[in-house]
Amino acid sequence: MGRDTQPRGPRRQGGPPAADSAGPGDMGPKKGPGQEEEARTCCGCRFPLLLALLQLALGIAVTVVGFLMASVSSSLLVRDTPFWAGILVCLVAYLGLFMLCVSYQVDERTCIQFAMKLLYFLLSALGLMVCVLAAAFATHHYSQLTQFTCGTVLDSCQCKLPPLEPLSRTFVYRDVTDCTSITGTFKLFLLTQMILNLVCGLVCALACFVMWKHRYQVFYVGDRMCSLTTSEGQQQKV
């Protein structure tokens, strides 16, 4: 009868919000397995599909141009017709596309996934070196063609370096009836190979970087350690 009853409700106006009254185990909104898996993706996709498609397109282009170069003259060396670089890059691209068809995961859960990712990384590194080598051969031959003096002799085209060169000798291109196919068409093919192989090597280097980034830079260890340390501190306070 004579007791003063206080009104129900919050005792003070600046009290903690309802979200702060949660237990120490609630560390904010929990991420589902789909969101954690999405956080581990790179550029919004599981595997760099664009890189594999670029490798395939560039590999096919290098291969086609290489066989066209080989058809100009039968005496061309293998290093001067780098279709072999395109074939290797195509194999790397096919392996990358196969990795896409099989469920690609950043964290390897089977030995097959680890072996495929390792093989793709090594082949991409090999493709980078082969493309740089092919571009170097094409550049060397292109620089020689700019100094050649060519003339048609029977069914071949004979080209000579200037007499002032220390290694002045005669280069014979067999089965060539017109030297313009060497000084014009073949020279254009060499320039195309230089550009294609440099771009292809850059794509292979980028593929190696993406695979290395997926393997060693996608683990959020710092955030998890911070969360564990915070929860342990709150449990000690309780």
Side-chain angles (χ1 to χ4, degrees):
M1 294 292 295
R3 291 183 299 178
D4 295 335
T5 58
Q6 296 181 356
R8 296 182 180 178
R11 296 186 179 180
R12 54 182 179 178
Q13 205 169 10
D20 294 340
S21 60
D26 299 335
M27 299 303 299
K30 296 182 179 179
K31 292 183 179 181
Q35 294 180 354
E36 289 183 357
E37 197 171 355
E38 184 179 357
R40 293 171 179 262
T41 57
C42 177
C43 302
C45 59
R46 286 179 170 269
F47 180 79
L49 175 62
L50 180 61
L51 294 179
L53 292 177
L54 280 176
Q55 284 179 334
L56 182 60
L58 290 171
I60 293 175
V62 171
T63 305
V64 171
V65 176
F67 282 117
L68 289 176
M69 294 170 68
S71 65
V72 173
S73 174
S74 61
S75 61
L76 289 173
L77 300 177
V78 178
R79 67 179 186 183
D80 296 326
T81 57
F83 56 87
W84 35 271
I87 293 175
L88 176 62
V89 175
C90 287
L91 293 178
V92 177
Y94 286 140
L95 178 62
L97 293 175
F98 181 73
M99 287 178 59
L100 177 64
C101 296
V102 179
S103 59
Y104 177 81
Q105 295 178 359
V106 177
D107 301 330
E108 301 91 356
R109 298 183 180 179
T110 61
C111 295
I112 298 179
Q113 291 177 354
F114 175 76
M116 290 178 60
K117 290 175 67 175
L118 180 61
L119 183 61
Y120 180 75
F121 177 84
L122 294 177
L123 288 179
S124 295
L126 181 61
L128 169 62
M129 293 185 289
V130 169
C131 288
V132 172
L133 185 63
F137 284 145
T139 305
H140 176 67
H141 202 156
Y142 183 85
S143 64
Q144 286 184 334
L145 279 179
T146 56
Q147 303 174 0
F148 278 166
T149 302
C150 299
T152 304
V153 178
L154 298 178
D155 59 344
S156 64
C157 178
Q158 296 184 2
C159 299
K160 297 180 180 180
L161 287 171
L164 298 178
E165 291 291 332
L167 298 178
S168 180
R169 60 191 182 94
T170 302
F171 296 86
V172 180
Y173 297 92
R174 299 188 185 93
D175 300 328
V176 177
T177 57
D178 189 4
C179 287
T180 55
S181 60
I182 297 297
T183 58
T185 307
F186 186 71
K187 189 177 180 180
L188 181 61
F189 284 157
L190 287 174
L191 183 61
T192 305
Q193 286 286 7
M194 289 164 52
I195 298 174
L196 287 177
N197 280 283
L198 287 177
V199 176
C200 193
L202 182 62
V203 172
C204 289
L206 189 58
C208 291
F209 171 74
V210 170
M211 296 301 295
W212 174 81
K213 182 178 175 62
H214 275 195
R215 185 63 181 85
Y216 294 104
Q217 291 189 354
V218 195
F219 299 103
Y220 304 96
V221 181
D223 295 342
R224 294 182 179 179
M225 290 295 294
C226 181
S227 302
L228 290 174
T229 307
T230 308
S231 12
E232 287 178 359
Q234 291 184 1
Q235 287 178 3
Q236 289 177 0
K237 289 181 181 179
V238 173

